[in-house]
Amino acid sequence: IALNEIRWTPFKKFAQTASYIPRFVSTVVVIAILNEFLSPSSGFLNMLLKSMGIEPIYFMNEKEWFRPVYIFSEAWQFTGWNAIIYLAAITGINQDLYEAAEIDGASRWRRVLSVDLPAIMPTICILLILRFGSIMSVGHEKVFLMQYSNNMSKSQVISTYVYRVGLSKASNYSFGSAVGLMNSAINTSMVLFVNWVTNKLSDGEAGLF
């Protein structure tokens, strides 16, 4: 919505491009960039901390920083992709609704609340359902690349656990398959539950099925 409200076209295009480019960057490259950016010796952030008299922090190795770094990298990679979906939904809003709101004296903020949000609510619900369906399936590639012995207690997720137990070390294929199946069952249950909730809240207009 903020991007859609920007009236300076060059900046709007730049913001869209800058936020969407990381979607095409390999996960390995993303982690390499993070390693350089957060390096305790030469990283930009730690150099900034040093200039303020703060000791360097090994963000990629300390377990307390694993989740914030992972969340930041996910947001950096996928915000642009989701923004395109929302912008497409906003573009499809009937312009007569905006004109009617302006005639009624609605401010820009009131138009966002009364026109934009209700119009894109089905899109919000669908994306919410899809994200809930994968909330237990954190991709193992990025987590695996970010794992160190020091942060293992915070970085171990189901997908990396299945890999280590079922394929890498123990070669316990049956146990790994059972864990993966249980994970899929939980994901399916969450999708059905969130879909049921969105159907109830929107009178059956926003759910996937």
Side-chain angles (χ1 to χ4, degrees), residues 61-68 70 138 143 146-158 160:
N61 192 48
E62 296 184 9
K63 61 182 180 180
E64 293 80 7
W65 286 100
F66 175 81
R67 290 172 182 170
Y70 182 86
V138 178
V143 176
M146 293 174 63
Q147 276 185 345
Y148 296 91
S149 57
N150 290 345
N151 65 16
M152 190 64 70
S153 61
K154 295 291 186 180
S155 63
Q156 187 77 290
V157 296
I158 293 177
T160 56

Side-chain angles (χ1 to χ4, degrees), residues 28-59:
V28 177
V29 176
V30 170
I31 301 304
I33 294 174
L34 283 177
N35 278 318
E36 291 296 326
F37 184 77
L38 302 176
S39 170
S41 58
S42 59
F44 171 77
L45 187 55
N46 274 305
M47 291 179 65
L48 184 62
L49 293 178
K50 286 180 182 178
S51 67
M52 296 186 293
I54 302 175
E55 288 295 321
I57 302 172
Y58 199 166
F59 292 97

Side-chain angles (χ1 to χ4, degrees), residues 129-138 158 179-194:
I129 294 171
L130 294 175
R131 293 305 298 169
F132 259 91
S134 59
I135 199 170
M136 295 281 292
S137 301
V138 178
I158 293 177
V179 174
L181 179 61
M182 180 58 65
N183 185 38
S184 299
I186 295 174
N187 281 335
T188 303
S189 301
M190 295 182 71
V191 168
L192 294 175
F193 173 73
V194 176

Side-chain angles (χ1 to χ4, degrees), residues 1-2 5 7 98 101-102 105-118:
I1 291 175
E5 291 297 320
R7 294 294 177 260
Y98 291 109
E102 290 180 7
S107 63
R108 178 173 294 183
W109 177 245
R110 174 51 61 184
R111 293 199 297 271
V112 169
L113 294 177
S114 301
V115 179
D116 288 331
L117 285 179

Side-chain angles (χ1 to χ4, degrees), residues 46 49-50 53 67 81 83-84 91 95 113 137 159 169-170 173 183 185 196 204 208:
N46 274 305
L49 293 178
K50 286 180 182 178
R67 290 172 182 170
W81 171 254
I84 286 179
T91 304
Q95 295 300 312
L113 294 177
S137 301
S159 56
K169 295 180 180 179
Y173 304 118
N183 185 38
W196 176 79
L208 285 176

